[in-house]
Amino acid sequence: MVMATHFSFPFSYVVSEGSRGRGRIVPKLVRAVASGDSMAPAKSEESKVKLGGSDLKVTKLGIGVWSWGDNSYWNDFQWDDRKLKAAKGAFDTSLDNGIDFFDTAEVYGSKFSLGAISSETLLGRFIKERKERYPGAEVSVATKYAALPWRLGRESVITALKDSLGRLGLSSVDLYQLHWPGLWGNEGYLDGLGDAVEQGLVKAVGVSNYSEKRLRDAYERLKKRGIPLASNQVNYSLIYRAPEQTGVKAACDELGVTLIAYSPIAQGALTGKYTPENPPSGPRGRIYTREFLTKLQPLLNRIKQIGENYSKTPTQVALNWLVAQGNVIPIPGAKNAEQAKEFAGAIGWTLTDSEVTELRSLASEINPVVGFPVEYL
């Protein structure tokens, strides 16, 4: 198994190695007038779900913005005005299509990770511009704390959060997460999350890349303060089901913690865009090799066939498969408007039980290749 990091750092970890109908109902998008003569989409409560045991409600699918401002893993090692404009298009199109939940992190695009511009800064800029056009626009923001070895104590969490708020241009965020477990000091980090809630800086708190044991420990520590652990963000897709195998998914379901799935289309491998003759560029090409893509073709062919029955793309089928697992919110990364619109079409319909089972069976014949090392700590 080959593993690679989820966050952009100047290096990569590499380790060898109920009944569902077949309905195709898509909810009609209701549009409400914002100030001025423009139209902005209004989202019904049915299009949102509660995040864990918190009071926060978010859309059933979110958008990951790791690639925004990054030039160390994504974007072929370069960031320019064209890509900036494309990212802005992804943001606006997501909102236009009823998706208003965006996930970022302090390390995305940061100088620390050799990025061009902070993803938080870009997201904050886009939000400001959107609200200038639509004063009533709603945007739910999730960001993450980097558990770096030199950061100690609960105070470091609050300090980092306030720095993130400054970059975002916000007074609070909807969800604040610990990006990965620290080498030490994790109890202090969790206490910092609790402090953030009590200080009104966040609506809900979560963790990311937490194993079953770490998840349970975090849940219990926050519970003592009457604060629910809302989410655990982990790598989860049709071809990477480690959360099921390690007990993380079952623990999330048991505790009422929402599983937020990053890399839900396996960094593009499940879209059908890449083939043995056309592998992805950059670092992903070393993960999704020609050999792996050859083994993936039978599954991709079946995904495409199923999608044709619903007038859906392979990407939309792969994302819908995750939603069908229950208690899962996928957050695919959108780099442009076209991708954002496609992602929005992944919800509002449901695969049948037999299709979900068949895809799982086909995927089980493929050895997974992408993970995150701390999942196994």
Side-chain angles (χ1 to χ4, degrees), residues 50 52 117 155 304 316:
K50 285 186 67 176
I117 182 172
E155 297 83 4
K304 183 178 180 181
Q316 292 167 335

Side-chain angles (χ1 to χ4, degrees), residues 91 112 144 158 163 183 188 229 247-248 252 259 318 351 375:
F91 174 81
F112 177 78
K144 310 183 201 68
I158 298 299
D163 288 342
L183 297 176
L229 178 65
V248 167
C252 284
L259 190 155
L351 292 166
E375 293 174 29

Side-chain angles (χ1 to χ4, degrees), residues 22 37-38 71 106 131 152 168 207 237 278 301 346 357:
R22 196 179 177 81
D37 59 358
S38 298
N71 58 7
E106 63 173 323
K131 290 192 173 183
L152 302 173
L168 287 161
V207 292
S237 72
N278 179 41
N301 290 338
T357 301

Side-chain angles (χ1 to χ4, degrees), residues 98-158:
I99 304 299
D100 64 11
F101 181 40
F102 296 87
D103 178 83
T104 183
E106 63 173 323
V107 296
Y108 294 165
S110 69
K111 298 299 182 184
F112 177 78
S113 59
L114 304 181
I117 182 172
S118 165
S119 170
E120 289 180 327
T121 298
L122 290 175
L123 180 57
R125 182 188 304 174
F126 297 162
I127 292 172
K128 180 181 178 181
E129 292 171 354
R130 183 77 178 194
K131 290 192 173 183
E132 288 174 351
R133 185 179 180 188
Y134 304 119
E138 296 180 6
V139 181
S140 296
V141 176
T143 191
K144 310 183 201 68
Y145 168 85
L148 301 169
W150 53 87
R151 284 180 161 174
L152 302 173
R154 62 204 304 168
E155 297 83 4
S156 68
V157 176
I158 298 299

Side-chain angles (χ1 to χ4, degrees), residues 328-349:
V328 176
I329 296 177
I331 52 166
K335 294 194 285 186
N336 54 54
E338 182 181 5
Q339 291 178 347
K341 186 174 182 179
E342 182 178 23
F343 295 155
I347 55 177
W349 60 285

Side-chain angles (χ1 to χ4, degrees), residues 1 25 53 56 69-70 73 83 102 131 134 151 167 199 207 226 229 232 250 283-285 292 319 328 372 374 377:
M1 179 183 294
I25 300 174
L56 176 63
D70 177 76
Y73 188 85
K83 290 172 182 175
F102 296 87
K131 290 192 173 183
Y134 304 119
R151 284 180 161 174
R167 287 185 289 271
Q199 293 179 30
V207 292
L229 178 65
N232 184 18
R284 288 180 297 157
F292 176 80
L319 291 171
V328 176
F372 191 66
V374 298
L377 291 178

Side-chain angles (χ1 to χ4, degrees), residues 18-41:
S19 171
R20 299 183 184 89
R22 196 179 177 81
R24 291 156 59 178
I25 300 174
V26 177
K28 183 178 180 180
L29 188 63
V30 180
R31 303 186 76 84
V33 178
S35 63
D37 59 358
S38 298
M39 305 291 284

